[in-house]
């Protein structure tokens, strides 16, 4: 693949899963962006890529383990070389697990940190490296309730999400004056996914009353953030259903 002669709007979604990440990819593709969706296996991205292309959009589905520095660097180099300059980078890797403190092994704690914090650093750093010389771009990090509150049984997840939030703040303060919009989004509530439907049927039943988050509605917020003029940028916002206790 070689870059087209016409300038392209390019967006990278790291963690383009079946819910929020996929919805973000579809929204940016619908707005005319050439979307690169990333997961650890490219096969898992085939349905999303096919859906976007069938709708007339442009999409690629590439494998990358975002915990590996060399793979992340190679991913950004390939996108810039084969598709075009990145305008938007979304880090959307989850890593939500629940273990009591005495049941949390070193392996669990380290893996969750690698997925939700180290990966965010690697993706954010590479995004900054390609965007800073151009003086523009958007870098968005998906947070969670655990970004703000360390709840019972979530010591590993909350530790990693707190770290990701701090990373986003530091990057925003450094890169904002250089023209790069860095934002952190706190997704506070259950999302309309098969996992919620299968494991929390009572919670999922509230969908009829708008009691859980719609991935497409979340994606609309990411698009809105990217559209903000730089004289009125948002760094952090939270999204939750109207009925969510907080």
């Amino acid at each position: 693949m070689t870059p087209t002669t016409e300038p392209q709007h390019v967006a990278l979604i790291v963690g383009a899963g079946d819910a929020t990440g996929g919805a973000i990819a579809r929204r940016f593709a619908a707005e005319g962006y050439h979307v690169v969706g990333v997961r650890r296996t490219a096969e898992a991205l085939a349905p999303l890529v096919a859906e976007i292309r069938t709708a007339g959009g442009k999409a690629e589905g590439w494998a990358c383990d975002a915990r590996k520095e060399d793979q992340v660097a190679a991913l950004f180099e390939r996108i810039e070389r084969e598709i075009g300059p990145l305008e938007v980078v979304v880090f959307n890797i989850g890593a939500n697990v629940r273990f009591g403190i005495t049941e949390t092994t070193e392996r669990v704690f380290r893996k969750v940190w690698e997925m939700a914090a180290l990966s965010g650093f690697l993706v954010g750093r590479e995004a900054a490296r390609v965007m800073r010389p151009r003086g523009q771009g958007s870098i968005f990090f998906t947070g969670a309730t655990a970004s703000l509150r360390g709840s019972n049984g979530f010591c590993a997840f909350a530790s990693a999400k707190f770290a990701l939030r701090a990373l986003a703040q530091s990057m925003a303060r450094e890169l904002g004056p250089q023209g790069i919009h860095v934002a952190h989004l706190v997704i506070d509530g259950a999302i309309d996914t098969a996992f919620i439907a299968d494991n929390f049927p009572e919670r999922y039943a509230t969908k009829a009353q708008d009691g859980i988050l719609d991935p497409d509605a979340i994606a609309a917020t990411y698009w809105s953030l990217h559209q903000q003029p730089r004289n009125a940028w948002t760094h952090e916002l939270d999204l939750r259903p109207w009925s969510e206790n907080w």
Side-chain angles (χ1 to χ4, degrees):
M1 181 185 301
T2 57
T4 62
T5 55
E6 296 182 2
Q8 294 196 83
H9 299 292
V10 184
L12 168 62
I13 316 300
V14 178
D18 299 328
T20 303
I24 296 169
R26 289 192 298 271
R27 179 55 187 261
F28 275 85
E31 299 290 348
Y33 278 67
H34 193 147
V35 171
V36 179
V38 166
R39 296 178 72 170
R40 276 182 286 180
T41 59
E43 292 78 10
L45 289 157
L48 175 64
V49 171
E51 181 182 359
I52 290 173
R53 291 178 177 175
T54 298
K58 297 179 180 180
E60 316 297 329
W62 293 347
C64 176
D65 186 338
R67 300 170 298 177
K68 306 297 184 183
E69 184 175 28
D70 58 342
Q71 292 190 31
V72 175
L75 170 68
F76 277 80
E77 189 279 331
R78 183 183 178 189
I79 293 172
E80 294 269 322
R81 171 171 45 87
E82 296 188 5
I83 300 178
L86 275 160
E87 289 186 23
V88 183
V89 172
V90 176
F91 178 80
N92 186 62
I93 292 177
N96 188 349
V97 297
R98 183 172 188 176
F99 289 99
I101 185 63
T102 57
E103 288 72 48
T104 301
T105 64
E106 184 273 345
R107 180 178 181 275
V108 166
F109 193 92
R110 180 182 296 275
K111 184 176 181 180
V112 172
W113 172 77
E114 287 179 346
M115 292 175 66
L118 176 64
S119 295
F121 157 68
L122 293 173
V123 170
R125 185 189 66 186
E126 295 306 310
R129 282 178 170 171
V130 299
M131 291 179 180
R132 187 158 55 182
R134 297 191 281 263
Q136 61 183 355
S138 297
I139 306 172
F140 299 151
F141 296 94
T142 301
T145 308
S147 303
L148 307 177
R149 183 174 70 243
S151 297
N152 180 0
F154 291 95
C155 63
F157 185 55
S159 296
K161 283 297 186 180
F162 266 59
L164 185 70
R165 185 184 186 218
L167 169 75
Q169 287 183 3
S170 294
M171 288 181 57
R173 291 185 169 101
E174 178 180 351
L175 300 175
Q178 300 178 50
I180 299 169
H181 186 186
V182 180
H184 177 256
L185 295 90
V186 178
I187 311 302
D188 181 24
I191 301 173
D192 186 359
T193 63
F195 175 82
I196 296 296
D198 294 341
N199 293 280
F200 304 95
E202 292 184 3
R203 188 67 174 273
Y204 194 77
T206 67
K207 176 180 177 180
Q209 291 80 43
D210 296 326
I212 59 177
L213 287 148
D214 179 355
D216 290 332
I218 296 173
T221 300
Y222 282 76
W223 173 250
S224 177
L225 277 175
H226 180 55
Q227 294 299 110
Q228 286 182 333
R230 65 179 184 175
N231 61 21
W233 274 349
T234 295
H235 168 64
E236 185 167 75
L237 58 78
D238 47 10
L239 297 173
R240 63 179 62 87
W242 65 278
S243 58
E244 184 77 20
N245 291 323
W246 64 287

